[in-house]
Structure formats: structure tokens, C-alpha cells
Amino acid sequence: MITKFNCPSCQKPTEIKFTKTITENIKLEFFTCGHSRRIVTPKRIEETFRDISFCELHNTMCIKDFSSLSRKHLMVFQGEAVKFILKSGMRALITDKMGLGKTVEAIIPLKLSKEADAFPVLVVCKSIAKINWFRELLDWIPGKVPQIVDKYSDIWFEELPIHIVSYDMLRSHTTRGKEEREADYYWGHKSKEVKIREDVKKVLDNVKTIILDEFHHFGNNTSQRTNAIKSVVKEKPFFIGLSGTPVRNNAAEYFPTLNMVKPEIFHTYERFIREDCNSYSSGWGYKVGGLKNPAEFKEKTKDFILGRELDDVLPDLPPVRRSNSFVEVDPTSPEMKIYNEQWKDLVRFYDSVNGKKSFDVYGQILQRLNILRQMTGLLKVNATVDFIEEFLSSTDRKLTIFVHHHKTRDLLKDKLEKSIHLMNKDLGMNIGKVLMITSENKDKADDILKELETSKSRVLIAGTLVAGQSINMQFACADCLLLERQWNPPNEEQAIVGRFRRIGQKLVVNITYMLAISTIDDYFVDLVESKRQIISEIDRGIKSISDWNESGIVMELAEV
């Protein structure tokens, strides 16, 4: 007897067309309406870990069933994440806060699964994170040698069980090039199927598990990068997504990853926006804010999304202390006169548009505000050098300075090197060279941090966006200074909190904000701080996402 029921995706009457077994506890049901759903019979995981006891090596409760080559153990809360992933049928999103060890939480399920179930594995991550994934995989699963794909010309070895590739490298291999697209447009050709290189195709066809690191970078549902990963994820049995900040601007950014992990629940973008998000017509299309009902969303996703705060699972982790260092700028200086002229230009333009809001107006305002932000950073360099001199001479600690603009970075480095030279010469100090992490040397970030930790160097200058993800600073430093603010609060939090307040940090994390009086900083500090508090409440589920994205902050700054 054929039994009809309502499809969970389209809600239309349907029936099972056929069933496909993926593993011993996972099968796919395909419906006559064209949709499908995954049926997971949970394995018995209550006894996954037997040896949980106090570990003198790590001075905390650990899971000692197995250890890594470097003698690391799983912490208890990490074990809970491993159980969660296994119970979900290895289709889950882990949104633990930065510093809780999401990498190892994704690796251990591979170790515990049957080889035929999980491997081959594809890890898709930022370029800067490839070497860290390689090291962690070798440490925890030494019998499985990964391949890092560095260059487009690299041959993908089908025999290896794990491949590590960057976002853009995957996009380059699975989407059509710019020249091909432009030629099609010019000649009026329809888009052709992508021809994937044979060695790449063999690996991608055989992959069973995909680990997508920092999945918030795939928030644009129509971008080439997102389409590239979607084309690979399709019909793969296992998918693990990791991100400490799953939503950075609005709830719509969540859809691509939700669609990848649970397409049977989050089937179409339009339906997600209509049913799960607050949205309204802005005259230029639909503007999306937050979730309509965060509690309902949490209930709907409780079986495949796990996210925890640092203080929830590591209450003994050292706290974060924030302080401001105010910079007085000479109003008669030539630099300040130029700044004031630029400020007047912004005011004149804003008054001329008479409250009109469009992409062009937003772009014009952003351009002028960015000039003011860069000029403000340059105005603070001398005071920043004075602060660093005092820090180096009065403590034996090390310091990281976060900057945004290249001109600010280069000016700071030049003045700081001269200052340290004089301190070594006149005060008899022995401070090593100034280290830097930039977009040009980001692949060597781990080596640079090791040098900061072990050498006489005591100062690191880092790009906020470059160093804000996928690197661990807790062993090298606990003090940082933010010279230039970011429009988007999560970008700051990932760098200044997420990199330092992590497992292994033993010192209080001190964050100092350099703020120039009578500049854009006066408005920036209160506005961005208020947004940071809102985001914190959103993450804890206290409230929904409001209009706190980058464009919202820019327009609020202009209105102030």
C-alpha cells in the first residue's frame, strides 16, 4: 500500500519514490515531488568516551581514551561536541565561540567513524589556515596523510585520504574563468558546463566528508565562491561547518550554509527569507534584518547546530580587560587642518543628498568616511609609539598592534623601529626586531608567532582582517592595542578577543583602544561599542539581529 504524506520541503502531498542507503545508520529517501530527506538512526554513543578524569598534564578534566602525537587530550566540552556531530549523522554546524577548539571537534569524528564512512575528506578553509589544519590532522590522525593544494597546477592525488584547499582555489577549479564568462557575454553564448580537470574531478567525486571552516565567508547566496562549494557539497553524505561568528551582517547570510547542511529543511532562499527572517522592501529590493523568531529557529535547528560561549564551558579562562587611551591632536597642525577640510566635504555631500538612500549615496559616504578613518589612524601613530615605548620599558610582556591601512602600518613600523633602536642604545635594552603579519606573508603567520613567542622580539604589527581568523596567539601574547577601528564589530572581536582568549591562555587579556579626540573616533567608539553589545546579546539568544550591518553603521555615523 502506497502511503502519501506532506513533503517537509514543499508541503505538497508526495510519496517515497526510492530509498538509497548511505551508511549503516544513514539513508536517503527520494520523493515523487523531487525533494528528498535524510534519515539518521543514531549510533550508540553514550560509551564513546570511557576514561574521563583529571589530567595533571593539562591541569583540568580531560578525555583520555586517546591522545594526539603531541600528547594533547580532548577537553570534556569538546567531547560533547564530538558526540553531537556523531549523533547528527555527521551533518552539523559547530558555532562555538573562538578559542574553544572547533578544529579538533571536527577532526575527532573522522577518527571515530568507520573508515569506509568518513574518508576521503575535503577540508575547505582560508589560505592562512591550511598549514594549521595540516598539522592538527597529522597530530590527531597520524595514519592519514593530508595533501595541501597550494597552486592551481598542483596535481590532486586521488590516493590520499584528505585534501586541504582554500576557498578561492576550490572556486578556480569548479567555476568558469572571468575571460570565458566575458567571451560568452560578448558573443551571446549561453553558460557552458564547467570542465573540471580530471585529477580534481576524481578526488571531488570520491569525497564523502566536507569540512567547511569559517563558513560565514559563504554568506552571499549567489557568489561564485558559494556556488563552487555548493556544487561540491551536493549529495555528499557528511558535512561539518565551523564558524565562531555564523552571522556577521544579517540573517540572510545564514541560508547558504543551512541549505548545504539541511537542504530538506532549508530548501529555497526565498522561503527562508519569507518564513524565518524579518524583511521589508527598501525600494531597491528586500532588506533583510534578523530572525523573526530566534527561539523557534533554535528549536528547529537544535539537532544539527551547536554553539557555546567561552564562559559557559571555560569559566576559569582569564578575563578580558578593555581600556581606552585618548590621543590629543593639535588642532592647528597641518594634518588636522586637512582632516577638517575632509570632514566639511562629508557634511556638504550629506546635506546635498537630502536624506536620499541608495547604493551610490552609500558608496560616496563610505569613501569619505574611509578617508577620515585613515587620516585618523595616521594622526594617532606618534601617540601609539609613545604608548609602546612606555609598555616596553615598564613591563617584560609582548604586545600586538592591530592596524587596518597600509600607510598607517608602514608609518608605525618605521617610527617604531627607530624608537626601539634608541631604547636599546640609550637604555641598554635588548629588544628584537618588529614583526609583522600582512596579506603578503599571512601563510607564514604560525612561524612569525613562534618567533614572537621564543625570540627577543616583543612587538607584532598585524592587519586586523588578515590576522583576525584561523591563527592562535594565546601562547605568544596577551596584550594588544587596536590602532584603527573596524566598521563591523565581529571583525574586531575575532582579532582582539578570538585570537587571544583561547584554550591555553594563562594571562589576563588586555585590550587598549587608541582614540583620537575631536575626530571620527569620538562618534565611532560609542556607536561600535553599542553594536558590539547587541551582537553579544544576539549570540546568547537574548534578542534577534537588528539592522547592525556595516552599511547601517556607516549611515548612522554620517547622520551623527
Side-chain angles (χ1 to χ4, degrees):
M1 185 177 104
I2 298 176
T3 303
K4 287 198 172 186
F5 54 92
N6 289 335
C7 170
S9 296
C10 65
Q11 302 301 319
K12 295 179 180 178
T14 189
E15 58 192 55
I16 297 175
K17 189 175 182 181
F18 66 92
T19 300
K20 181 179 179 181
T21 299
I22 305 298
T23 68
E24 62 181 358
N25 71 314
I26 300 176
K27 64 179 180 179
L28 288 177
E29 293 181 341
F30 293 87
F31 307 145
T32 54
C33 64
H35 297 127
S36 63
R37 70 179 172 190
R38 180 181 303 269
I39 304 297
V40 180
T41 304
K43 296 179 180 179
R44 288 184 60 83
I45 59 170
E46 306 85 46
E47 299 179 356
T48 301
F49 308 118
R50 298 173 182 272
D51 186 3
I52 302 177
S53 58
F54 184 81
C55 176
E56 294 183 359
L57 180 64
H58 302 111
N59 196 35
T60 188
M61 295 293 289
C62 284
I63 298 171
K64 300 181 183 177
D65 293 71
F66 46 80
S67 62
S68 70
L69 290 179
S70 60
R71 301 180 66 196
K72 290 185 288 189
H73 295 135
L74 271 185
M75 300 187 77
V76 174
F77 70 86
Q78 291 174 325
E80 292 302 318
V82 170
K83 287 185 177 183
F84 182 86
I85 292 173
L86 292 173
K87 188 174 181 180
S88 72
M90 286 182 61
R91 290 191 74 85
L93 304 181
I94 303 300
T95 62
D96 284 348
K97 281 302 169 188
M98 297 158 287
L100 294 181
K102 291 186 291 295
T103 300
V104 70
E105 291 174 353
I107 290 174
I108 298 304
L110 307 179
K111 185 182 181 77
L112 295 180
S113 69
K114 293 183 178 180
E115 184 170 333
D117 284 354
F119 294 92
V121 176
L122 179 69
V123 177
V124 186
C125 61
K126 292 190 72 174
S127 181
I128 194 174
K130 289 185 297 185
I131 188 64
N132 183 61
W133 272 101
F134 181 83
R135 290 172 176 170
E136 289 291 331
L137 284 161
L138 278 183
D139 197 22
W140 286 101
I141 318 179
K144 303 290 185 182
V145 179
Q147 177 189 4
I148 294 180
V149 180
D150 274 325
K151 302 187 295 292
Y152 184 85
S153 58
D154 286 352
I155 300 298
W156 293 40
F157 294 106
E158 182 184 5
E159 301 78 11
L160 293 177
I162 306 172
H163 292 79
I164 304 170
V165 62
S166 70
Y167 306 147
D168 293 326
M169 184 62 68
L170 182 67
R171 176 185 56 79
S172 298
H173 277 291
T174 56
T175 60
R176 308 184 71 243
K178 180 180 179 182
E179 292 181 1
E180 291 177 292
R181 296 195 306 275
E182 289 178 346
D184 279 355
Y185 178 80
Y186 180 80
W187 294 106
H189 295 161
K190 291 184 178 180
S191 181
K192 302 173 184 176
E193 185 177 348
V194 180
K195 292 183 179 179
I196 302 177
R197 212 172 65 203
E198 188 61 28
D199 59 306
V200 179
K201 187 175 187 303
K202 284 183 178 179
V203 170
L204 296 182
D205 285 348
N206 291 330
V207 162
K208 290 187 177 179
T209 302
I210 292 179
I211 298 175
L212 183 58
D213 193 21
E214 306 288 359
F215 65 73
H216 55 265
H217 288 291
F218 296 81
N220 185 335
N221 193 45
T222 59
S223 71
Q224 283 195 18
R225 175 186 282 182
T226 302
N227 288 331
I229 188 65
K230 278 187 173 183
S231 69
V232 177
V233 169
K234 190 177 181 181
E235 296 184 2
K236 300 300 181 187
F238 309 120
F239 176 87
I240 302 172
L242 310 174
S243 176
T245 52
V247 175
R248 299 166 73 88
N249 286 300
N250 59 66
E253 296 177 347
Y254 222 148
F255 174 78
T257 310
L258 291 170
N259 175 251
M260 284 185 266
V261 69
K262 288 290 179 181
E264 65 271 24
I265 298 177
F266 299 97
H267 187 62
T268 66
Y269 178 80
E270 291 75 15
R271 182 176 175 183
F272 176 70
I273 298 302
R274 183 177 67 251
E275 296 184 0
D276 293 281
C277 303
N278 288 317
S279 61
Y280 62 91
S281 176
S282 64
W284 296 83
Y286 274 91
K287 190 171 182 63
V288 181
L291 296 167
K292 279 185 180 178
N293 191 328
E296 184 179 293
F297 178 81
K298 190 172 184 179
E299 178 66 23
K300 189 193 309 190
T301 59
K302 66 180 181 181
D303 294 331
F304 61 92
I305 298 181
L306 176 68
R308 296 163 298 177
E309 298 284 334
L310 277 165
D311 291 333
D312 293 339
V313 296
L314 291 175
D316 296 329
L317 204 63
V320 172
R321 292 176 181 168
R322 303 173 191 262
S323 61
N324 298 327
S325 180
F326 294 96
V327 178
E328 290 189 27
V329 182
D330 182 359
T332 63
S333 67
E335 294 83 2
M336 198 60 189
K337 289 180 179 179
I338 297 173
Y339 176 93
N340 287 330
E341 287 300 316
Q342 186 62 41
W343 181 268
K344 291 176 183 177
D345 178 62
L346 170 63
V347 173
R348 283 193 296 268
F349 176 78
Y350 187 80
D351 290 341
S352 71
V353 300
N354 196 28
K356 179 182 177 182
K357 293 183 180 181
S358 68
F359 289 115
D360 179 61
V361 169
Y362 165 72
Q364 294 278 352
I365 291 175
L366 180 61
Q367 180 183 23
R368 288 167 169 79
L369 284 172
N370 271 330
I371 293 173
L372 289 170
R373 181 170 62 152
Q374 182 174 9
M375 294 180 70
T376 301
L378 293 170
L379 288 169
K380 293 186 283 188
V381 167
N382 288 336
T384 300
V385 173
D386 291 341
F387 180 96
I388 297 170
E389 286 179 357
E390 177 65 23
F391 179 90
L392 294 176
S393 61
S394 61
T395 76
D396 58 357
R397 291 156 72 104
K398 304 194 177 190
L399 181 68
T400 298
I401 303 100
F402 288 105
V403 296
H404 183 78
H405 295 99
H406 291 181
K407 287 186 178 180
T408 306
R409 177 198 69 193
D410 294 341
L411 179 62
L412 175 65
K413 183 174 185 288
D414 179 62
K415 288 181 175 289
L416 197 53
E417 285 177 337
K418 293 176 181 177
S419 173
I420 288 176
H421 173 74
L422 291 175
M423 291 176 72
N424 288 340
K425 179 182 177 182
D426 297 342
L427 302 178
M429 302 185 73
N430 189 18
I431 303 170
K433 65 180 181 180
V434 176
L435 302 175
M436 294 180 64
I437 295 179
T438 68
S439 56
E440 289 79 22
N441 69 354
K442 61 183 180 181
D443 290 339
K444 299 179 180 178
D446 285 347
D447 295 332
I448 295 170
L449 289 173
K450 192 66 178 178
E451 185 176 358
L452 178 65
E453 181 183 356
T454 59
S455 73
K456 295 177 181 177
S457 294
R458 293 178 58 194
V459 178
L460 170 69
I461 300 174
T464 308
L465 300 182
V466 172
Q469 297 178 33
S470 303
I471 62 175
N472 302 324
M473 295 185 173
Q474 71 270 33
F475 300 111
C477 188
D479 296 87
C480 65
L481 183 151
L482 195 69
L483 179 53
E484 296 175 290
R485 302 302 300 261
Q486 294 291 316
W487 301 123
N488 200 326
N491 290 338
E492 289 188 357
E493 290 301 288
Q494 279 211 314
I496 62 178
V497 177
R499 300 307 104 202
F500 295 93
R501 194 170 186 244
R502 307 175 71 87
I503 298 171
Q505 180 62 267
K506 295 179 172 59
L507 302 174
V508 172
V509 177
N510 295 301
I511 302 170
T512 302
Y513 299 88
M514 297 298 292
L515 305 172
I517 299 172
S518 301
T519 69
I520 193 174
D521 277 354
D522 285 342
Y523 309 102
F524 221 141
V525 60
D526 292 334
L527 184 58
V528 175
E529 280 301 301
S530 67
K531 300 298 183 184
R532 184 174 64 80
Q533 293 296 331
I534 291 173
I535 294 167
S536 176
E537 293 178 347
I538 292 167
D539 288 339
R540 297 197 305 272
I542 296 174
K543 62 171 66 174
S544 177
I545 303 169
S546 59
D547 185 18
W548 51 264
N549 58 24
E550 182 172 305
S551 61
I553 291 177
V554 169
M555 294 306 293
E556 284 188 54
L557 271 173
E559 290 166 4
V560 170

